[in-house]
Amino acid sequence: MKLLKVIQLYRSEKQLVAKALEGSRRAQKDLYELHAPKMLSVCRYYIKDIQDAEDVMISAFFKGFQNLKTYQNNGNFEGWIRRIMVNESISFLRKQKEVYLTDEIEDFQHENDDSLNENFNAVEIQQLIDDLPEGYKMVFVLYAIEGYKHQEIAAVLNISENTSKSQLFKARKLLQQKITNLNAVGNGTR
Amino acid sequence: MGQDRLDNKVKKVLSERKIQPNQDSWNKLEALLDTKDERPKRNYAYYAIAASVMLLLGMLFFLNSNKEQEQETQLVNETENEIKTIPDSGLVINDENEETNVVEATETVENAIASEDKTINNEQIDKQSIEKKSVEVKQNRRFAENQKKVEKEEVKEQNRSNPLIKNEVNLNKTSLAENEKKKQDSLALNNEVDALLALAQENLKKETKTENTINTTTTALKVNPDALLTEVEEEAEESFRAKVFEAVKKGFKKTKTAVATRNDN
């Protein structure tokens, strides 16, 4: 029943947003329930602790509802609220600990190692991402999952584009190593 | 695995993921929204009420002060007239009080002229009556003196007719004459003093009468005594009010000039 209700509401998301804008608590709740699971997942990319991730998500939803008039039905609501989630997650990480993004210029060369064929599920890859240094993690998630360009990442993280590129390069390299290890361990145990 | 392929695979695997938040997560959000929603509304309502109350009070005060000012100007007109009707009062009419309507001024001037004439007539009558009275008093005193002289002469004649007791009488006569002389001197002095006192009293009476006549003439024209009394009472307060308004005016002018010349420096 609840799912049906949510689906019905999803069809009229614009109406929901309009009502939420008028201050309807019911519409706000429906919007929240519709998008919260995915948004919590987004926050979880950056934040290892699920409770912290949830707090950040709640805070981001709150900011979203407070500034709902800036949305004005441009694009879809999910994309809009998701950007707020990303920004909120990054500012959370920055508050938690000082994130140093070293401006290292390295020779980025695409490693085309097609011989590797790793398999991983969401839990595994999330764990690998969690273990990445904060700087690597943020740039990698922003680039690989959120689809940000280096220019945008540089603006969001207040770093240079080159730093963004070097961080992404290192993150990928590290991840590949870990995936390889994971698969090697997996194959060894099987 | 290539870079782009790795990115794509990670994206694909993770973007399908959904994590159900805790059941009380919405309550947390709602609590946040409630606190933020209520605070500004309450504040705005409070400020709005406070502002409206202040505005109302201000309006009331402004309207009242205007009324008072009108009343005061009217009072000033009347008092001006009164002052004008007193010919030798030596009072100086304040220039501030001249800020009155031209129409009112002409009307009051006419009234003042009428009342002036009346008071002058009354004064003349008073003076005449006072002079008459003083003349009568003098005549009476002269009459009394004459009577006394006549009595003395009679006594002299009786003394002459009785030679036996002439010596005694002569003695008595001399003493009497002395006494009479003394009496006459004292009487003359008394008369002078009385005359002077009478004159002084008359002058006083004149002054008070002229004041009274002013009041009576004004009452005869249009004002009832109660109104006059209240006016007199208000006049006492007037100086204080005038001071207050003057202070307010000065303050306003100061701020006005300050605002006007704020960019001059």
Side-chain angles (χ1 to χ4, degrees), chain A residues 76-183:
Chain A
N76 66 345
F77 180 77
E78 191 188 317
W80 183 75
I81 198 80
R82 188 181 180 123
R83 256 190 122 79
I84 298 171
M85 295 293 156
V86 170
N87 288 336
E88 199 68 12
S89 299
I90 287 163
S91 63
F92 172 81
L93 284 182
R94 290 195 149 177
K95 271 184 214 164
Q96 281 295 101
K97 41 193 147 180
E98 285 191 30
V99 181
Y100 293 105
L101 295 160
T102 47
D103 196 3
E104 297 164 67
I105 310 293
E106 285 190 16
D107 186 21
F108 318 116
Q109 284 189 353
H110 287 286
E111 291 174 28
N112 291 311
D113 196 353
D114 289 329
S115 60
L116 294 166
N117 187 20
E118 297 94 354
N119 286 311
F120 52 82
N121 60 29
V123 176
E124 285 165 341
I125 191 68
Q126 181 64 65
Q127 206 176 343
L128 296 181
I129 291 169
D130 287 343
D131 291 341
L132 284 174
E134 298 293 348
Y136 293 6
K137 181 164 71 183
M138 284 196 283
V139 174
F140 177 77
V141 174
L142 286 171
Y143 187 90
I145 303 173
E146 302 299 338
Y148 282 37
K149 302 277 175 276
H150 281 298
Q151 202 184 346
E152 288 175 284
I153 295 166
V156 167
L157 299 177
N158 198 23
I159 55 171
S160 71
E161 274 186 56
N162 273 338
T163 307
S164 177
K165 283 174 187 170
S166 74
Q167 297 280 324
L168 179 68
F169 174 76
K170 285 174 184 171
R172 276 174 177 160
K173 203 174 174 183
L174 210 61
L175 266 179
Q176 272 185 337
Q177 279 176 6
K178 287 185 176 188
I179 291 162
T180 311
N181 289 342
L182 187 79
N183 282 299

Side-chain angles (χ1 to χ4, degrees), chain B residues 75-76 138 143 191:
Chain B
L75 279 172
V76 165
K138 279 175 184 174
F143 185 66
N191 285 338

Side-chain angles (χ1 to χ4, degrees), chain B residues 184-200:
Chain B
Q184 275 177 342
D185 289 346
S186 63
L187 265 170
L189 270 170
N190 281 339
N191 285 338
E192 269 177 36
V193 169
D194 284 348
L196 282 168
L197 273 169
L199 264 170

Side-chain angles (χ1 to χ4, degrees), chain B residues 216-232:
Chain B
T216 48
T217 48
T218 47
T219 47
L221 282 169
K222 55 178 176 180
V223 194
N224 61 358
D226 289 333
L228 264 171
L229 272 168
T230 50
E231 269 173 31
V232 169

Side-chain angles (χ1 to χ4, degrees), chain A residues 25 29 32 37 40-41 45 54 62 113-114 116 118-120 122 126 140 144-145 172 176 179, chain B residues 1 3 5-7 9 11 13-15 17 19-22 25-26 29-30 32-34 36-37:
Chain A
R25 195 46 46 82
K29 193 183 181 185
Y32 173 78
L40 184 53
S41 173
Y45 296 155
E54 195 178 285
F62 172 65
D113 196 353
D114 289 329
L116 294 166
E118 297 94 354
N119 286 311
F120 52 82
Q126 181 64 65
F140 177 77
I145 303 173
R172 276 174 177 160
Q176 272 185 337
I179 291 162
Chain B
M1 196 162 114
Q3 299 297 328
R5 277 171 59 194
L6 174 71
D7 290 0
K9 183 149 196 210
K11 190 181 177 180
V13 169
L14 284 179
S15 62
R17 182 182 69 179
I19 305 168
Q20 206 63 40
N22 276 334
S25 65
W26 165 249
L29 178 57
E30 196 175 25
L32 269 176
L33 288 166
D34 282 344
K36 269 280 172 182
D37 275 1

